[in-house]
Amino acid sequence: MRLNQVTAPASDLEQSIAFYTLLGLRLIVNSETYARFELPEGEATFSLHVVAGEIARDRAPWIYFECADLDGEIARLQAAGVSFEREARMQSWLWREAWLRDPAGNAICLYHAGANRTHPPWRLP
């Protein structure tokens, strides 16, 4: 089994497309209510679907994107005007994370974990 895609809600598709393009995703499908992106690495894709009404921030998806150069990516995004809710810091689970929100309020975690992404010291055999 392989992961095909994850779809997140969007309230303003144009704003969200601009945001995810800025993150480095490549737009491959664009319609009135749906957009789909390829990520720079791997086979999985990411998509957006327009929903009516406000997206509750406390129920918004948490979307994780791993960055080889987390600090460089944060600096690039901040220079482009993107603000972060939480600056990068090392977590007890051995991931260095920074958090922001997309235009719809979905939580985005940019992180670097290296081998600890799938093989932390406490991984089950």
Side-chain angles (χ1 to χ4, degrees), residues 6 45 73 86 92 114:
V6 172
T45 61
E73 189 62 16
R86 282 189 274 166
S92 61

Side-chain angles (χ1 to χ4, degrees), residues 26-69:
R26 188 172 75 86
L27 185 64
I28 60 171
V29 175
N30 186 3
S31 72
E32 287 185 30
T33 59
Y34 177 82
R36 188 170 180 185
F37 303 86
E38 286 182 332
L39 280 74
E41 297 177 38
E43 295 179 358
T45 61
F46 178 77
S47 59
L48 299 166
H49 182 73
V50 175
V51 296
E54 190 173 330
I55 299 164
R57 288 175 69 96
D58 62 339
R59 290 191 308 246
W62 294 7
I63 305 160
Y64 290 75
F65 294 114
E66 187 166 19
C67 306
D69 178 10

Side-chain angles (χ1 to χ4, degrees), residues 67-111:
C67 306
D69 178 10
L70 180 61
D71 292 327
E73 189 62 16
I74 291 168
R76 181 184 74 79
L77 292 170
Q78 286 176 326
V82 174
S83 61
F84 284 74
E85 288 188 344
R86 282 189 274 166
E87 296 296 322
R89 65 177 173 228
M90 182 58 83
Q91 303 295 334
S92 61
W93 47 91
L94 306 177
W95 293 19
R96 190 152 180 272
E97 298 179 350
W99 286 85
L100 62 153
R101 297 269 177 174
D102 77 1
N106 297 307
I108 308 292
C109 177
L110 300 182
Y111 75 98

